[in-house]
Amino acid sequence: MHSVPDFLIRSLRPDDTDAIVGLYEAASARDINIGPITAAQWTDFVQRPHNKGGQDFRVAVQDNQLIGLAESSLRDQDGRQVRFFKLVIDPSRRRQGVGTALLKELLALNARDSALSFQTLAASDWRDGLAFLERLGFLHIESEITMRCLSLSAQTPVLPDAVVVERIEAPWHLAAEVADLHNAAFALDVAFRSYSVGEMQQILAEEGQVLWVVRDHSRILGYCRMECEPGLIWLEQIAIDPGHQSRGLGMALAYGALQAAGIDHGRPAGLNVSSVNGKARSMYRKLGFAIRREVRRYSVSQLDLIGRMAIAR
Ligand SMILES: CC(C)(COP(=O)(O)OP(=O)(O)OC[C@H]1O[C@@H](n2cnc3c(N)ncnc32)[C@H](O)[C@@H]1OP(=O)(O)O)[C@@H](O)C(=O)NCCC(=O)NCCS
């Protein structure tokens, strides 16, 4: 039996920031996957367009102390409404119904009859989190796999005639082409979100962004976007025009870009890939990437969640 909850749930306020930083610190001391967050990172996160200033975030408070947080945003995925959320609960207040109560508040944000689903991420070794989600009927629909490469293992791939791989010095000039390629190549992704030219321009202008493309004489056929830091080369995105996939272009592009970036044990390459993206996973294995970590994506329809909630407490 859970003890009777004596906490209240309310909307997020700007003056919660210090308490949120403290909550993250306590939670990440227990679960390394949660990770600490600074006040500046939190403010930045809340201000991201899809978070709408945190208007759908909720906090649980007990005796003036913040003991739980639900981050949440509603997104449109190809005409389907998905509410993404993340719960962070103070480790000393676990198993007291705080997570369930926060989730109930998120349910109240939506129209009851909509064909909406709830989605969240949980590391595959986070046993408490997985047990919580499975009890509420969430299904594991895919995983985000983190891979690392310490040295490129593939032999230099051969490009088709008249096709070249090259680095772009002022990437933001190609924002329109890159956004088009992104939106076409990732359209069937579970977590797909379309990018406007303006958004892509903003991303490509960020510090540390490195853009490589594969092109023929008339147009760009694919791009590879990387973030190069002193100790890590992060392969953020690679996409080939759907009409030109499986011709060796992706392999040649990734190989060219990673080789030029200079990978070794002190500066490995890393990336995230979906467990259901067989093509990309196979390509990364051939390049020399190995699995490092798995974060699972869980989903449940709103109606199923309402049903489970009714019998959960
Ligand atoms: C993933 C992607 C970049 C690969 O580029 P590509 O040009 O299609 O791939 P290549 O022709 O260079 O093939 C390289 C390897 O990928 C795998 N692969 C490519 N097409 C495949 C297919 N149709 N079925 C299975 N594996 C495939 C194979 O391992 C292949 O090596 P092989 O030809 O020696 O068997 C491209 O398919 C793409 O843009 N997909 C959509 C966006 C995406 O998923 N990006 C990666 C996100 S992490």
Side-chain angles (χ1 to χ4, degrees):
M1 280 295 282
H2 298 289
S3 60
V4 178
D6 52 357
F7 50 85
L8 64 90
I9 310 255
R10 61 160 171 79
S11 300
L12 179 75
R13 296 195 307 234
D15 63 359
D16 286 328
T17 300
D18 289 345
I20 301 267
V21 171
L23 177 70
Y24 259 94
E25 201 173 293
S28 54
R30 159 106 170 233
D31 299 308
I32 181 175
N33 291 314
I34 293 176
I37 191 165
T38 64
Q41 285 168 333
W42 173 254
T43 309
D44 195 48
F45 173 68
V46 173
Q47 292 312 324
R48 287 200 197 146
H50 62 271
N51 286 329
K52 300 194 174 128
Q55 72 174 31
D56 286 355
F57 289 23
R58 293 292 178 270
V59 294
V61 181
Q62 187 175 41
D63 301 331
N64 284 329
Q65 233 190 314
L66 202 144
I67 58 167
L69 162 72
E71 298 163 8
S72 124
S73 64
L74 191 63
R75 298 193 213 169
D76 185 281
Q77 270 186 1
D78 229 6
R80 289 174 301 123
Q81 298 273 83
V82 181
R83 179 163 293 284
F84 285 91
F85 73 95
K86 176 176 166 185
L87 298 176
V88 183
I89 312 296
D90 186 321
S92 66
R93 311 295 166 101
R94 301 260 169 98
R95 304 298 297 266
Q96 292 174 20
V98 181
T100 309
L102 281 164
L103 206 44
K104 241 178 208 162
E105 289 292 317
L106 299 189
L107 270 171
L109 291 169
N110 319 300
R112 193 180 167 101
D113 60 347
S114 66
L116 181 141
S117 65
F118 274 62
Q119 273 191 27
T120 191
L121 300 172
S124 59
D125 55 0
W126 185 29
R127 287 178 49 196
D128 296 352
L130 303 190
F132 172 83
L133 294 170
E134 281 162 13
R135 172 172 158 274
L136 291 175
F138 280 83
L139 296 175
H140 173 202
I141 51 168
E142 63 137 2
S143 289
E144 188 175 83
I145 312 254
T146 300
M147 302 183 91
R148 279 275 187 282
C149 176
L150 301 178
S151 68
L152 285 168
S153 65
Q155 293 186 336
T156 313
V158 183
L159 276 167
D161 280 349
V163 173
V164 292
V165 165
E166 64 189 20
R167 181 173 172 175
I168 304 298
E169 290 307 331
W172 51 93
H173 290 310
L174 290 185
E177 288 90 335
V178 171
D180 277 356
L181 280 166
H182 171 275
N183 296 341
F186 288 100
L188 298 178
D189 237 43
V190 201
F192 173 69
R193 154 166 131 67
S194 160
Y195 276 85
S196 68
V197 175
E199 283 173 317
M200 192 55 84
Q201 204 160 27
Q202 209 176 336
I203 292 171
L204 292 173
E206 280 170 17
E207 207 181 313
Q209 287 281 319
V210 174
L211 182 72
W212 282 71
V213 299
V214 55
R215 67 189 310 156
D216 64 12
H217 54 277
S218 64
R219 63 191 195 93
I220 294 169
L221 304 173
Y223 72 90
C224 172
R225 192 159 68 73
M226 303 191 295
E227 285 169 24
C228 294
E229 296 164 18
L232 183 70
I233 296 155
W234 189 255
L235 201 160
E236 184 62 33
Q237 252 173 18
I238 178 163
I240 303 294
D241 179 335
H244 292 268
Q245 290 177 7
S246 305
R247 291 176 59 205
L249 304 188
M251 187 81 175
L253 175 59
Y255 190 91
L258 292 171
Q259 195 190 42
I263 295 173
D264 60 32
H265 286 240
R267 198 180 185 223
L271 57 84
N272 286 336
V273 59
S274 162
S275 58
V276 297
N277 193 343
K279 269 193 206 183
R281 286 182 67 186
S282 162
M283 179 176 88
Y284 296 141
R285 262 196 309 273
K286 285 193 172 145
L287 283 162
F289 282 85
I291 294 180
R292 184 71 178 269
R293 177 168 178 249
E294 178 193 349
V295 176
R296 296 182 178 179
R297 182 180 301 279
Y298 278 84
S299 173
V300 69
S301 76
Q302 170 170 239
L303 292 180
D304 284 348
L305 185 57
I306 291 171
R308 290 287 190 130
M309 282 287 187
I311 50 173
R313 320 227 72 234

